[in-house]
Amino acid sequence: MSERAAPFYCPYCGDEDLRPSEQGHGAWECAACNRAFQLKFLGLLARGLQHDTTGGDRT
């Protein structure tokens, strides 16, 4: 596993022109919309992964 996981697109505008920010670990800058954001891994859920056997989306 790498030390830094890179996002594929900006969560605000959807553009792919992202660069690591100097603001700290997990901080990224989007050149298209001029926004900065930070990603943070919180941890694993205790319940684990649950598969949907009904074939539809959960609402």
Side-chain angles (χ1 to χ4, degrees):
M1 178 178 258
S2 67
E3 192 171 311
R4 176 181 282 202
F8 294 111
Y9 56 88
C10 174
Y12 297 100
C13 71
D15 200 86
E16 297 177 355
D17 191 5
L18 301 176
R19 293 183 173 92
S21 176
E22 296 178 2
Q23 296 298 318
H25 182 73
W28 293 86
E29 298 174 355
C30 177
C33 69
N34 203 31
R35 288 187 170 112
F37 58 94
Q38 188 170 19
L39 301 177
K40 182 177 179 182
F41 177 70
L42 299 177
L44 298 173
L45 300 175
R47 65 176 180 234
L49 181 63
Q50 298 176 347
H51 295 282
D52 185 10
T53 58
T54 61
D57 292 335
R58 283 193 209 173
T59 54

